[in-house]
Amino acid sequence: MTEIPRTRWETSENSGFAAHFSELIATGGDIEGEARLADALLPRGATVLDAGAGFGRVGAALQARGHHVVAAEKDPDLVAMAAEHYPDLPMVRTDILALTPDLLAEAGHPTTYDLVVLVGNVIVLLAPDTEQRALRTLAALLAEGGRILVGFHMKEAPTSSARAYPFEQFVADVEAVGLKVQHRFGSYELAPANDDYCVAVLSLV
């Protein structure tokens, strides 16, 4: 089996993440911006894989909108938090690099998806030099016509452990694995593209 390296998330201090989102939930803050855009990309009742799901806020929002969602998260604390906040959200505890049709099938989940959600800076918190590998892994799980929704800070992410990921380098990695950037925006509200934040919709070439 190919080695699964430790992610930047695993090798850094991220203790404030859970507290931040717990407070947002408790105070009625908006935690569904990514989900609203994802929902707009989909037909009703679509299959969605929330890769690097955290505690499941995006996947749960899409599930509430009638989609068939599977969340994948490696961090045991976030998996436990997901079970607390969203007990009905199907969750697979796994690294993104280990997501295979066989693993999903063994867990009783679909092996292809209409949309893979990769938001919340997940791509800039992967293990170093695994961006192409992760994108290739997720591309292999796309159904016909399926797409990947990616969102990340290109320069300064909320955590110091995240890498800088210039758009040109991101595009090179995307194209190297047989994907293309179908759309690019500067926010989940479809702001114009900018140099700080990237929201991209990827499709197979």
Side-chain angles (χ1 to χ4, degrees), residues 98-121:
L99 275 169
T100 63
D102 287 345
L103 182 147
L104 290 163
E106 288 171 8
H109 300 306
T111 57
T112 60
Y113 293 84
D114 300 307
L115 184 70
V116 173
V117 178
L118 188 68
V119 297
N121 286 305

Side-chain angles (χ1 to χ4, degrees), residues 23-157:
E23 182 179 0
L24 283 175
I25 292 171
T27 58
D30 181 14
I31 60 170
E32 297 186 2
E34 301 99 324
R36 286 192 293 272
L37 178 55
D39 182 52
L41 295 171
L42 292 166
R44 297 305 84 197
T47 54
V48 180
L49 175 65
D50 187 2
F55 69 95
R57 63 185 177 88
V58 176
L62 289 168
Q63 186 181 53
R65 289 164 169 79
H67 300 295
H68 305 289
V69 180
V70 176
E73 174 56 52
K74 186 178 186 180
D75 187 317
D77 293 332
L78 294 178
V79 171
M81 189 176 172
E84 176 185 352
H85 287 286
Y86 309 114
D88 296 327
L89 178 67
M91 176 72 76
V92 178
R93 186 181 168 192
T94 181
D95 191 286
I96 288 173
L97 300 180
L99 275 169
T100 63
D102 287 345
L103 182 147
L104 290 163
E106 288 171 8
H109 300 306
T111 57
T112 60
Y113 293 84
D114 300 307
L115 184 70
V116 173
V117 178
L118 188 68
V119 297
N121 286 305
V122 169
I123 197 166
V124 292
L125 289 164
L126 295 170
D129 303 316
T130 63
E131 291 83 9
Q132 287 190 23
R133 183 176 168 190
L135 289 167
R136 186 179 293 108
T137 298
L138 297 177
L141 298 174
L142 292 178
E144 183 177 356
R147 296 185 285 184
I148 301 174
L149 176 64
V150 188
F152 61 97
H153 285 85
M154 290 181 282
K155 294 180 179 178
E156 297 182 7

